[in-house]
Amino acid sequence: MGDDAKAPESASDELAAVWSALGNAGSIARQRRIADLFEGEDGAARFESWSAAHGDLLLDWSKTNVDAGTRDLLLALADKAGVAKARERMFSGEIVNNTDVRPALHTALRNLSGHPVCVDGKDVMPEIASTLRRMREFADAVRSGEVAAFGGGRFRDVVHIGIGGSQLGPEMACLALEPYHDGPRIHFLANVDGASAAQIMDRLDPATTLVLVASKSFTTPETMLNARTIRAWLASDLGDDGANAHLAAVSSADGLAREFGVPDDRIFGFADWVGGRLSMWGPVGLPLMLAIGGSDFRSFMEGGHMMDRHFREAELSENLPVLLALAGIWHANVMGYGSRAILPYDHRLGRFAAFVQQVDMESNGKSRRMDGSRVARDTGPVVWGEPGTNAQHSVAQLLHQGTRIVPVEFIVARRGHEAGLAAHHRMLVANCLAQAEALMTGQSRESVARDLEGRGLSGADLRLQAAHRMFDGNRPSITIMYDRLDPYTLGRIVALYEHRVFVEAAIWGINCFDQWGVELGKVLAGELLSCIDKGRLPDDRDGSTRGLLDSLMS
């Protein structure tokens, strides 16, 4: 081995040595079948050894091609990359977002421990608690009818106007917790496409509609255009005073919100150390609180807080976010799988994959390390998904027989909310477990041929059919199982994925809390909008953009 046999002399040398050993482990794993890891004496206990739990929330990663030695290497990777230290810096309010020069304290929004969280020596928890009280008082008053529509009577509908982090989280959560809704109906307006606003205005009655405008800066172009459109819709029926009485805002720009007409006592702000995609634990979650009430919203927060405690306190080897992240690192960086699919076998998690897509891809879609140097390996994989069993009739073909291997994360409840439809849930769970098993085991040409022979096929017909019907298997999956999708469980699952993204970022050495990659498009969009409004072609654009603008304006 020559120089490679020397003991590492620094933390970076130690980290490089672990990566190198993982590369060797990957070469071995490519020659091994996952199903073989379940054989023999060790295989019989593999499920118990490769699963971890937080109460009823179970993470099973036994159907990944990771043996005991590789698992030890992955845990060593987390250790050498300083995951524990990075975790403590985040929870302690240190500056972990180095380009924006601020902490990342979304966890403080759900901190129910009573312990202080300090930023620049000041405990931020009293302000967070005060905002939460105001949110609950407002939500309770709307739900009870104490805060009434301009003409009297209850608000029957709420329109939440936001985009990205101001919309995906609360929309996902409202859909997920639909069985707990006992407040006004919640609608979300995000897309700047006029069709979205038209649907809202066509279907709802302005006289009984409350409008929440969610924009930290109160300048987000898409959100503010939608907000102006909906406010004009309110005013056309209620007048300016009536329109203002139907407004509330989630924003830190109090002055701009007031200028828009939002009453002072209906402006709910949050600090700049809460990123948009991680913000639904505070005022951005107001539509969820309006839908399910303050008590269930607190249960949602408790779930997130308890996952925070687990993430902060549990050993790495039993730590759900760490294990989920290490599986992701193994698949993305060692096995070379550039994508991951999230398939929730829970209809109400229909927007969960889209939510995680933003949390993951906006956070970890980076090519520079914290110090500005280029990363040495791939970062954030492409995240996508679809609810099961729909996925089985759309994307599963590629997952089972496609040329690209896509690790799958299955999410499923042990029981559903609909007691009278238990047969549906049994079939749902059976399909989920069957998909995971089929991905791993596949179906050999020989077994297909035997089946076809039993049906009377032979010769060339049999060989052709067998070639098309066999599939290799040996495709990894992870299963996350819980008792039932309630507010507490949803809180844990959301926090689990938030922390998974953080751990992967810490291992890659990137900043998962900024998003500079989206800024240029915003600037260019503003410039091009000016050209469209003025009906002139710009001189400083490429031929394609000029040609498309010319076609648009001709």
Side-chain angles (χ1 to χ4, degrees):
M1 293 178 64
D3 290 342
D4 291 340
K6 293 180 181 179
E9 297 178 353
S10 68
S12 60
D13 290 336
E14 291 178 347
L15 188 59
V18 176
W19 277 116
S20 178
L22 280 169
N24 294 334
S27 298
I28 295 170
R30 291 184 188 90
Q31 309 303 315
R32 177 180 63 210
R33 293 189 63 81
I34 299 171
D36 292 344
L37 295 171
F38 287 88
E39 300 296 328
E41 186 175 331
D42 292 339
R46 181 170 172 83
F47 171 77
E48 289 77 10
S49 300
W50 262 259
S51 61
H54 181 268
D56 64 287
L57 183 64
L58 175 71
L59 172 68
D60 168 30
W61 63 311
S62 61
K63 292 190 184 75
T64 62
N65 208 328
V66 175
D67 61 14
T70 302
R71 180 176 57 185
D72 290 344
L73 286 173
L74 289 168
L75 290 168
L77 180 68
D79 178 50
K80 302 303 181 186
V83 167
K85 182 179 179 181
R87 176 184 62 190
E88 195 56 33
R89 291 184 66 232
M90 179 185 71
F91 276 104
S92 299
E94 295 185 36
I95 293 175
V96 292
N97 180 349
N98 66 321
T99 62
D100 291 311
V101 195
R102 62 180 62 140
L105 279 175
H106 49 287
T107 54
L109 296 180
R110 58 188 186 236
N111 173 27
L112 302 177
S113 68
H115 297 150
V117 177
C118 293
V119 176
D120 295 329
K122 178 185 177 182
D123 183 10
V124 300
M125 290 311 303
E127 183 177 353
I128 290 173
S130 174
T131 300
L132 184 61
R133 280 194 300 273
R134 290 183 58 232
M135 287 171 57
R136 183 158 185 172
E137 289 167 359
F138 178 66
D140 287 347
V142 171
R143 286 161 54 83
S144 70
E146 180 183 346
V147 169
F150 183 67
R154 293 175 182 267
F155 285 111
R156 292 200 299 265
D157 295 281
V158 174
V159 176
H160 180 87
I161 304 175
I163 197 165
S166 297
Q167 167 260 335
L168 273 169
E171 183 179 32
M172 176 279 297
C174 281
L175 177 61
L177 298 179
E178 185 271 338
Y180 299 88
H181 286 209
D182 56 2
R185 294 171 298 194
I186 311 296
H187 313 267
F188 291 88
L189 177 54
N191 199 323
V192 76
D193 188 334
S196 297
Q199 286 180 340
I200 293 290
M201 294 185 291
D202 288 346
R203 296 174 183 177
L204 304 185
D205 180 358
T208 55
T209 300
L210 175 69
V211 175
L212 303 179
V213 183
S215 172
K216 183 184 291 186
S217 66
F218 224 73
T219 60
T220 308
E222 303 95 329
T223 297
M224 296 317 300
L225 178 56
N226 279 329
R228 289 192 295 271
T229 298
I230 297 300
R231 190 192 181 284
W233 170 71
L234 292 172
S236 68
D237 189 79
L238 306 171
D240 280 343
D241 289 343
N244 292 349
H246 285 228
L247 295 177
V250 175
S251 179
S252 299
D254 295 24
L256 292 178
R258 280 193 294 271
E259 288 178 20
F260 191 77
V262 183
D264 279 346
D265 60 348
R266 297 188 189 178
I267 301 172
F268 303 91
F270 54 98
D272 61 5
W273 33 256
V274 179
R277 57 191 174 275
L278 306 168
S279 63
M280 70 168 158
W281 307 96
V284 170
L286 188 55
L288 179 62
M289 184 183 283
L290 284 162
I292 66 176
S295 294
D296 281 333
F297 188 85
R298 183 177 175 85
S299 294
F300 171 68
M301 292 176 61
E302 287 173 348
H305 174 62
M306 292 307 293
M307 183 54 67
D308 290 345
R309 289 187 56 185
H310 169 78
F311 176 50
R312 196 173 186 182
E313 298 170 3
E315 294 293 330
L316 297 185
S317 59
E318 299 294 328
N319 195 302
L320 270 64
V322 171
L323 296 177
L324 189 58
L326 292 179
I329 293 287
W330 169 254
H331 290 147
N333 293 127
V334 183
M335 302 302 286
Y337 307 146
S339 173
R340 63 175 60 134
I342 299 175
L343 305 184
Y345 276 66
D346 197 315
H347 173 71
R348 293 187 175 97
L349 287 176
R351 293 289 286 161
F352 187 74
F355 166 71
V356 174
Q357 189 178 67
Q358 189 208 13
V359 171
D360 199 318
M361 295 174 69
E362 190 167 80
S363 297
N364 285 351
K366 310 288 171 60
S367 58
R368 296 286 173 175
R369 291 171 53 84
M370 296 277 280
D371 62 7
S373 61
R374 183 169 289 276
V375 296
R377 49 186 52 83
D378 286 338
T379 59
V382 175
V383 179
W384 58 280
E386 177 73 13
T389 58
N390 303 38
Q392 295 172 208
H393 298 270
S394 56
V395 303
Q397 173 62 42
L398 182 146
L399 296 176
H400 287 288
Q401 285 190 313
T403 57
R404 297 175 178 86
I405 294 179
V406 180
V408 177
E409 294 166 16
F410 294 101
I411 303 174
V412 65
R414 296 182 185 89
R415 60 192 180 101
H417 285 277
E418 293 72 28
L421 300 174
H424 287 254
H425 195 73
R426 291 196 298 272
M427 181 178 288
L428 181 75
V429 175
N431 273 275
C432 178
L433 301 186
Q435 289 296 307
E437 183 179 20
L439 284 168
M440 180 178 72
T441 61
Q443 186 166 237
S444 69
R445 186 187 296 263
E446 292 74 21
S447 66
V448 173
R450 286 194 298 271
D451 179 62
L452 293 174
E453 285 176 346
R455 301 183 192 183
L457 266 71
S458 62
D461 286 344
L462 185 150
R463 289 192 294 274
L464 175 66
Q465 292 294 331
H468 284 280
R469 298 184 187 212
M470 59 85 63
F471 50 100
D472 295 331
N474 206 34
R475 301 187 177 215
S477 68
I478 294 167
T479 299
I480 296 171
M481 184 177 284
Y482 47 89
D483 187 45
R484 192 168 71 170
L485 189 61
D486 57 23
Y488 179 75
T489 294
L490 181 66
R492 287 183 294 167
I493 293 173
V494 170
L496 167 67
Y497 273 88
E498 288 177 353
H499 293 320
R500 183 257 194 99
V501 167
F502 174 78
V503 172
E504 290 182 341
I507 291 173
W508 288 320
I510 62 177
N511 177 4
C512 63
F513 297 114
D514 63 6
Q515 59 274 342
W516 295 106
V518 303
E519 297 304 316
L520 177 59
K522 294 179 182 178
V523 173
L524 297 181
E527 295 172 359
L528 294 176
L529 177 59
S530 177
C531 293
I532 293 169
D533 287 343
K534 295 175 182 177
R536 64 171 178 80
L537 289 176
D539 297 325
D540 58 347
R541 288 298 193 273
D542 62 88
S544 172
T545 301
R546 283 176 55 84
L548 291 169
L549 284 170
D550 188 36
S551 177
L552 175 71
M553 294 185 289
S554 62

